[in-house]
Amino acid sequence: HVAVSFPRANSLVQPGPVTITGSVTDGLSDPVVVCDGVLATVGGGAFACTLNVASGTTTVPIAAVDAAGNARSVAATIST
């Protein structure tokens, strides 16, 4: 399971650097998380990645893969 906790759906953020945070659980042991090609920091079942976001609406794909090849994904929609 991969879930985004920030930014929440339908919330607005300022353009520029935005840190996306969330949780990664449910059978993924020591996963690698990538947010739109950017490697996230992972620890204790949580992840964080910082991306530069332009004005408008951006959809950020987030993927988690563990050493066994189990994969989960989600998308974060960010509006500025």
Side-chain angles (χ1 to χ4, degrees), residues 49-79:
C49 55
T50 301
L51 303 172
N52 281 316
V53 179
S55 294
T57 300
T58 303
T59 300
V60 178
I62 301 167
V65 180
D66 69 8
N70 299 308
R72 306 284 188 276
S73 63
V74 68
T77 300
I78 300 171
S79 297

Side-chain angles (χ1 to χ4, degrees), residues 5-30:
S5 56
F6 182 85
R8 296 198 180 275
N10 302 316
S11 64
L12 293 174
V13 298
Q14 294 296 316
V18 174
T19 299
I20 300 169
T21 60
S23 61
V24 57
T25 58
D26 201 23
L28 292 173
S29 62
D30 299 322

Side-chain angles (χ1 to χ4, degrees), residues 24 41-48:
V24 57
T41 302
V42 180
F47 73 87

